[in-house]
């Protein structure tokens, strides 16, 4: 039985309902933390442990850690000449996952592992392109075999209790466009695609120059298949790191256990952080998966956290961005470290699994 459950909303893991509180790591070595050989976790435990200890010492309990945002064949998955997954490439993938969980147990933190990101769809940034994989039933099934391996590795680990939840993909909305058309056309601009559930159109930004866009239906199928695969091979709950409440209904039909939203100034301008999540019609808990370490413009971190923690707003957790992104500093007088520590001291039990 949970001794100090989150007062209003929370995420349950291993029978404990807590306000899922922490920070985004989000990586130590971009795209190479898991399966990256000499730059993977198992080969760099001293650096990673020091980082985890730093987060933990400032009140962080849950760490959102990206796993395969590059996915170029150098991080544990074997690819054929067309870039299609063929299985496990061996190497350090399993050892890196095991090392991360062991370090979490030693330090006293938990993880929200994020499998993929919209970055996986970058065609002109040196990133591996997931588009031809997820848009083919046969290729997507091969990718799910890899996902199952990752999930089973965590589930079989003696430190699996360090895994609070899975995040299927970071901000998938930025890789969604009209009919998968990268450039759009005179009659179908690059922001024309919508989901069938009533959300606003997807606005992928630099669609023609960066991302190999897919349709919403294709992305939804991919997210649903990944969620199903994770549920089949892991006991941890599953979410999706949605870019904004602007697309509040997009991921309501894929079998998630809770929802995750990101909050930056551009979002807060139209969908204020003060709006109760129930107002948007959410029927599952909602976690604020990204927000600046220093708070929003005109909204200090402490104000934001105390507000969303309250029962009238009802968020189930919050993880600031980010430990390794100096655009939003972790250190300093208004950095994430000081802010996270101060808030955690106000709720020392409800913020710890």
């Amino acid at each position: 039985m949970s001794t100090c459950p989150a007062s209003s909303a929370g995420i349950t893991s291993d029978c404990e309902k807590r306000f899922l509180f922490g920070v985004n790591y989000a990586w130590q070595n971009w795209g190479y933390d898991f399966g990256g050989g000499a730059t993977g976790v198992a080969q760099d435990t001293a650096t990673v442990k020091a980082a985890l200890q730093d987060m933990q010492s400032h009140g962080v309990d849950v760490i959102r850690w990206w796993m395969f945002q590059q996915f170029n064949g150098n991080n544990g998955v074997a690819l054929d000449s067309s870039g299609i997954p063929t299985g496990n490439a061996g190497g350090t993938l399993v050892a890196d996952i095991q090392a991360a969980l062991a370090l979490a147990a030693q330090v006293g933190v938990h993880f929200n592992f994020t499998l993929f990101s919209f970055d996986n769809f970058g065609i002109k940034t040196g990133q591996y392109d997931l588009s031809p994989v997820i848009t083919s039933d046969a290729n997507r099934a091969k990718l799910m075999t890899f996902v199952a391996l990752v999930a089973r590795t965590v589930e079989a680990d003696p430190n699996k209790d360090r895994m609070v939840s899975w995040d299927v993909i970071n901000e998938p909305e930025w890789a969604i466009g009209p009919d998968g058309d990268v450039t759009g056309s005179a009659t179908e601009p690059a922001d024309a695609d919508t989901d069938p559930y009533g959300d606003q159109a997807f606005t992928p930004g630099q669609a023609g120059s960066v991302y190999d866009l897919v349709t919403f239906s294709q992305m939804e199928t991919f997210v649903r298949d990944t969620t199903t695969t994770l549920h089949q091979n892991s006991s941890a709950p599953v979410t999706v790191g949605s870019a904004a409440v602007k697309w509040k209904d997009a991921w309501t039909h894929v079998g998630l256990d809770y929802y995750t939203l990101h909050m930056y100034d551009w979002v807060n301008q139209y969908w204020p952080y003060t709006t109760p999540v129930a107002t948007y019609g959410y029927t599952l808990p909602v976690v604020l998966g990204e927000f600046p370490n220093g708070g929003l413009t005109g909204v200090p971190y402490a104000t934001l956290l105390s507000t969303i923690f309250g029962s009238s707003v009802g968020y189930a957790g919050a993880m600031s961005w980010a430990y390794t992104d100096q655009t939003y500093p972790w250190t300093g007088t208004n950095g994430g470290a000081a802010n996270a520590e101060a808030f955690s001291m106000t709720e020392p039990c409800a913020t710890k699994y």
Side-chain angles (χ1 to χ4, degrees):
M1 179 178 293
S2 182
T3 56
C4 53
S7 58
S8 58
I11 302 300
T12 299
S13 177
D14 197 23
C15 298
E16 292 186 328
K17 181 182 179 183
R18 296 288 186 268
F19 184 78
L20 193 155
F21 177 68
V23 69
N24 284 261
Y25 195 163
W27 55 82
Q28 182 64 42
N29 295 296
W30 169 270
Y32 289 86
D33 287 340
F34 297 94
T39 58
V41 178
Q43 300 299 313
D44 197 14
T45 55
T47 299
V48 174
K49 185 176 182 178
L52 299 183
Q53 286 176 323
D54 185 25
M55 293 180 240
Q56 190 276 339
S57 69
H58 290 95
V60 165
D61 186 70
V62 180
I63 296 168
R64 183 171 180 247
W65 196 343
W66 294 15
M67 299 187 80
F68 308 112
Q69 69 271 26
Q70 186 157 316
F71 208 69
N72 62 359
N74 293 324
N75 50 9
V77 60
L79 305 173
D80 65 19
S81 59
S82 299
I84 305 302
T86 59
N88 178 20
T92 64
L93 173 60
V94 171
D96 289 335
I97 294 173
Q98 293 170 337
L101 293 170
L103 290 173
Q106 293 171 30
V107 172
V109 293
H110 298 83
F111 292 138
N112 167 239
F113 279 150
T114 302
L115 289 173
F116 305 108
S117 176
F118 69 88
D119 303 273
N120 290 115
F121 296 82
I123 56 175
K124 295 184 180 179
T125 57
Q127 310 300 324
Y128 173 63
D129 184 12
L130 270 186
S131 181
V133 177
I134 76 163
T135 56
S136 159
D137 291 344
N139 293 341
R140 194 171 59 254
K142 294 177 181 177
L143 181 61
M144 292 306 107
T145 299
F146 177 76
V147 170
L149 165 68
V150 173
R152 287 197 301 269
T153 299
V154 172
E155 190 68 13
D157 196 89
N159 297 305
K160 73 171 186 176
D161 63 316
R162 294 290 132 182
M163 180 66 178
V164 167
S165 63
W166 297 97
D167 183 341
V168 173
I169 180 170
N170 171 67
E171 301 188 349
E173 295 88 355
W174 304 133
I176 299 173
D179 302 327
D181 180 3
V182 175
T183 59
S185 67
T187 58
E188 185 180 56
D191 63 350
D193 201 29
T194 61
D195 64 49
Y197 309 122
D199 287 329
Q200 296 187 31
F202 294 101
T203 52
Q206 303 177 74
S209 61
V210 178
Y211 305 123
D212 190 359
L213 304 181
V214 297
T215 66
F216 170 76
S217 177
Q218 291 166 336
M219 185 68 80
E220 183 185 40
T221 298
F222 162 61
V223 171
R224 184 187 297 114
D225 284 0
T226 306
T227 301
T228 299
T229 301
L230 290 171
H231 280 148
Q232 290 172 341
N233 294 277
S234 170
S235 56
V238 182
T239 189
V240 165
S242 180
V245 71
K246 177 178 182 177
W247 299 289
K248 64 183 180 63
D249 295 311
W251 315 114
T252 56
H253 295 72
V254 295
L256 301 180
D257 298 294
Y258 70 93
Y259 301 120
T260 297
L261 303 175
H262 296 172
M263 178 67 67
Y264 292 92
D265 286 344
W266 75 268
V267 183
N268 189 53
Q269 180 180 359
Y270 301 102
W271 299 275
Y273 76 97
T274 53
T275 302
V277 293
T279 301
Y280 296 119
Y282 287 114
T283 57
L284 296 173
V286 182
V287 166
L288 203 60
E290 288 185 20
F291 65 95
N293 275 330
L296 302 168
T297 298
V299 183
Y301 182 110
T303 300
L304 192 156
L305 263 294
S306 63
T307 301
I308 68 170
F309 184 81
S311 59
S312 62
V313 177
Y315 278 92
M319 293 177 286
S320 64
W321 182 272
Y323 184 77
T324 51
D325 186 349
Q326 290 308 306
T327 303
Y328 305 98
W330 172 250
T331 57
T333 55
N334 191 35
N339 287 329
E341 183 174 5
F343 176 73
S344 69
M345 292 176 66
T346 68
E347 298 291 342
C349 188
T351 57
K352 302 289 189 298
Y353 281 98

